Amino acid sequence: MTKKDLSEIRRRFNPERHNITCIRGCYVNSQGQPIAAFSHAPVNLRKEDAEKYFSIFRRTLSGELDQNLITIGFPPEQVMNGREHALLMALRDCALQDDELVDAFFEQAAAGLPQIPDQHHLILLAHDGYDLARRNKAGEKDPDASDEVFHYLLCSVCPVRLTKPALTYEPRENDFTSSEGDWTVSMPETGFLFPCFEERAADIYAALSYTRDTAAPYAGLIPALFGVDAPLPAALQKEAFQTMLQDTLGEDCSLEVMQAVQEQVMDKITVQKEEKLP
């Protein structure tokens, strides 16, 4: 996916103008056990609540490509016979209306979450049907015509932490009183978009994975949800590549050599993207 593709999907999550059909949620405790689930039709949410949800989803599509946002490729055999890929496709096709499929997804996701003391998680899953309008020769959209609808899922995984007890203002008593801590939802640590949005069409052979911290992603979620190995985090890839160059080149690690290496790497990246290689 390109930055333009990302921006186009990200703009969908606007409380004022959206076509999000369903939001499903699961509250998971620190032992990885689902303890509550819910379903919302965004049109029935209060504006303030809708904005909170959509803000979380927009954050899941933020950051830098190939750093915070990494494409996860599905091998052909996973697309044909993989249990994880089949579940994602079924969730997309039913628009999150099948409770058994949604419960199976949440159990799968909960099993891949890290168990962190005093931290729970909220898993959010949204479905959208994006009506792709045709464009004229000038590149302008024709709102009265559509080639197809891009159906996709967006998942956000948010930490839920207990705030400390504090003094709070009580209007009825016109005074400050002590209040207990509350479990509050933070911005997402990880999440994904499935399928990828490539050249204004669905690419069911890929998902876009988000991680807030490129050095410490929720690596267990990727094999749990996609059935493939998690890629090495961007920060660790960079560190490993630098170490390899230093060990290999030694005293020959000059500016000219580094520039030549960079050019070759960029050429390979270009070929990889053009030919859509894993």
Side-chain angles (χ1 to χ4, degrees), residues 8-218:
E8 190 169 350
I9 299 301
R10 197 168 187 265
R11 287 195 296 269
R12 302 284 299 161
F13 291 87
N14 185 327
E16 302 297 331
R17 43 182 179 82
H18 69 87
N19 193 37
I20 313 302
T21 59
C22 185
I23 296 175
R24 304 292 293 254
C26 181
Y27 188 33
V28 181
N29 65 19
S30 58
Q31 287 76 47
Q33 301 168 332
I35 55 177
F38 59 86
S39 176
H40 291 312
V43 294
N44 297 329
L45 288 172
R46 294 187 310 162
K47 181 180 178 180
E48 296 82 0
D49 294 338
E51 175 54 42
K52 294 290 192 302
Y53 281 112
F54 286 1
S55 178
I56 288 172
F57 287 125
R58 288 195 301 270
R59 182 65 65 88
T60 313
L61 296 173
S62 66
E64 295 295 325
L65 288 167
D66 299 323
Q67 294 187 37
N68 307 91
L69 296 161
I70 299 175
T71 300
I72 306 295
F74 292 97
E77 60 271 18
Q78 172 71 336
V79 175
M80 294 295 294
N81 303 308
R83 178 176 58 88
E84 295 83 2
H85 190 274
L87 178 57
L88 291 174
M89 291 294 294
L91 287 168
R92 186 193 71 154
D93 293 343
C94 77
L96 302 182
Q97 297 305 307
D98 188 314
D99 291 341
E100 290 187 6
L101 291 176
V102 172
D103 290 344
F105 171 83
F106 284 141
E107 288 181 8
Q108 203 166 281
L113 290 173
Q115 296 185 14
I116 303 173
D118 301 322
Q119 179 175 302
H120 299 181
H121 288 93
L122 174 63
I123 308 171
L124 295 174
L125 194 59
H127 171 269
D128 181 25
Y130 182 18
D131 195 15
L132 300 174
R134 293 194 184 101
R135 295 178 182 269
N136 58 28
K137 293 182 179 180
E140 299 170 339
K141 290 183 179 180
D142 181 356
D144 298 322
S146 176
D147 292 322
E148 61 178 307
V149 177
F150 173 55
H151 290 281
Y152 66 94
L153 306 172
L154 185 60
C155 176
S156 300
V157 180
C158 306
V160 183
R161 301 183 178 96
L162 185 64
T163 61
K164 295 180 179 180
L167 285 174
T168 59
Y169 180 66
E170 176 54 58
R172 289 174 297 181
E173 299 180 11
N174 193 29
D175 198 359
F176 285 84
T177 60
S178 177
S179 66
E180 298 296 327
D182 290 326
W183 290 96
T184 59
V185 179
S186 303
M187 282 289 123
E189 285 286 337
T190 187
F192 69 87
L193 170 77
F194 175 83
C196 277
F197 187 52
E198 297 276 0
E199 299 178 358
R200 299 186 61 74
D203 179 5
I204 65 170
Y205 285 84
L208 188 70
S209 175
Y210 165 79
T211 179
R212 184 191 65 81
D213 186 351
T214 59
Y218 279 41

Side-chain angles (χ1 to χ4, degrees), residues 220-277:
L221 269 180
I222 290 178
L225 295 179
F226 303 140
V228 298
D229 293 333
L232 194 65
L236 295 182
Q237 289 186 41
K238 181 179 179 180
E239 180 181 343
F241 186 64
Q242 289 176 337
T243 301
M244 179 188 69
L245 283 179
Q246 291 170 357
D247 292 345
T248 304
L249 298 175
E251 295 181 356
D252 295 328
C253 190
S254 64
L255 178 60
E256 291 77 10
V257 171
M258 293 299 294
Q259 288 175 335
V261 171
Q262 183 181 21
E263 290 175 2
Q264 292 185 37
V265 170
M266 295 306 297
D267 288 343
K268 289 183 178 293
I269 290 174
T270 301
V271 171
Q272 185 268 343
K273 289 185 177 180
E274 290 177 349
E275 300 184 5
K276 295 184 178 180
L277 299 173

